[in-house]
């Protein structure tokens, strides 16, 4: 009955055959899938596993850690430490990147990950996920923090796992975006969604609308037009979805189109956005761009940003090509003072918005 199914390992052997680096990358992705299976088993137990609830600790972002945040982080760190393929890792839950003992292996890669994204959803049994990104490690010396600070276009692989009604593993190595579903009975990821494509046209948008008064005018303009639907310039009605779990929102967009926005806002002026460049924006941009969509800050391609620090936050606008291009155009028109309706008295200060 299972004949002809493509397992993750078989798929990776086919996609990454050739150089020793490619073979090692395939092995690393299999290791990541193993950590994902462990986290999937933990999340699936819910209250019965005693894994719900918060700890007394906070992470480097000042966020209260959930038990599953810490358990998922440990699952990834153990996998990378024992696998012998990673020279250093950076986790959203850790203050600084960690070097892996060189004696443990060859360490060709740097692994960057958000072990459990959307963790505020765990206790209410809503989908959460893990996000990962892989960079090339420096050879012949130990990695430094600077080695992690590379633009997203240099990622060798990226992807996410979504722990929903089924567990899925979605990845790209720069040859399209492909989705695998966990067959729990046999413990294998099976290729179920080859060559995923984000539809260019969509009538769905995802944003935390409670922040509306803090958004910049170009985003207010876009969302207002979507909400006005048939009665305004868009000429059709839109639907809004917000799961507050980036992985789940991005997964929906990958499956049926849409645009995800966590734009720049003035809620906390010390932060140019909520989401993290290295752990969330870059890997998700790689996945979405390999599926024909776009990842943007509204003003720049996310994967072209030069990171300045490991926990850097950026505005994020990701999804269907036509919608993201429209939002970028609204930013441009606003910055040039060409947008009559949304012209701001602060127009001269717009050069402050660099990213
Ligand atoms: P947590 O991991 O702290 O739950 O944050 C999730 C997240 O980074 C991202 O997955 C969501 O899109 C976003 O935050 C939700 O933010 P709001 O709380 O503003 O809805």
């Amino acid at each position: 009955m299972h004949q002809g199914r493509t397992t993750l390992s078989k798929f990776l052997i086919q996609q990454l055959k050739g150089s020793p680096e490619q073979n090692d990358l395939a092995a690393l992705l299999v290791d990541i899938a193993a950590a994902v299976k462990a986290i999937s088993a933990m999340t699936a137990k819910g209250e019965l596993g005693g894994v719900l609830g918060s700890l007394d600790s906070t992470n480097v972002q000042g966020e209260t850690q959930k038990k599953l945040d810490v358990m998922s982080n440990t699952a990834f760190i153990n996998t990378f430490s024992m696998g012998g393929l990673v020279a250093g890792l950076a986790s959203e839950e850790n203050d600084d990147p960690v070097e892996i003992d060189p004696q443990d292996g060859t360490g060709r890669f740097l692994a960057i990950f958000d072990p459990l994204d959307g963790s505020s959803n765990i206790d209410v049994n809503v989908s959460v996920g893990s996000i990962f990104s892989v960079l090339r490690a420096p050879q012949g010396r130990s990695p430094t923090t600077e080695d992690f600070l590379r633009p997203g276009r240099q990622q060798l692989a990226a992807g996410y796992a979504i722990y929903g009604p089924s567990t899925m593993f979605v990845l790209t190595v720069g040859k399209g975006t492909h989705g695998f579903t966990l067959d729990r009975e046999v413990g294998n990821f099976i290729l179920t969604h080859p060559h995923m494509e984000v539809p260019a046209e969509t009538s769905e948008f995802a944003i935390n609308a409670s922040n509306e008064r803090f958004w910049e005018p170009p985003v207010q303009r876009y969302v207002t037009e979507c909400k006005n639907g048939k009665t305004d310039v868009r000429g059709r009605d839109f639907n809004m979805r917000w799961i507050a779990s980036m992985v789940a929102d991005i997964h929906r967009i990958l499956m049926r189109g849409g645009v995800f926005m966590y734009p720049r806002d003035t809620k906390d002026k010390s932060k140019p956005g909520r989401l993290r460049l290295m752990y969330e924006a870059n890997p998700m941009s790689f996945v979405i761009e390999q599926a024909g969509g776009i990842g943007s800050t509204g003003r720049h391609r996310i994967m072209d940003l030069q990171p300045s620090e490991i926990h850097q936050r950026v505005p994020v606008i990701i999804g269907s090509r036509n919608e993201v291009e429209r939002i970028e155009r609204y930013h441009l028109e606003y910055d040039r003072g060409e947008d009559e309706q949304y012209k701001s008295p602060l127009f001269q200060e717009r050069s402050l918005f660099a990213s």
Side-chain angles (χ1 to χ4, degrees), residues 63 69 92 114 116-121 131 208 210-211 242-247 249 260 262 267 274-276 280:
E63 299 159 345
D69 277 327
E92 198 209 57
D114 179 353
L116 205 65
D117 185 71
S119 56
S120 54
N121 284 325
I131 310 173
N208 181 347
S210 69
N211 292 327
W242 185 249
I243 303 174
S245 174
M246 186 192 196
V247 169
D249 279 311
F260 172 93
Y262 219 113
K267 195 174 184 179
R274 169 164 163 88
L275 301 180
R276 271 60 53 136
E280 290 158 328

Side-chain angles (χ1 to χ4, degrees), residues 8-26:
L8 176 67
S9 310
K10 190 166 150 192
F11 173 86
L12 290 170
I13 290 166
Q14 286 163 0
Q15 274 231 329
L16 290 169
K17 59 179 172 228
S19 67
E21 182 185 78
Q22 298 254 296
N23 294 340
D24 278 359
L25 184 58

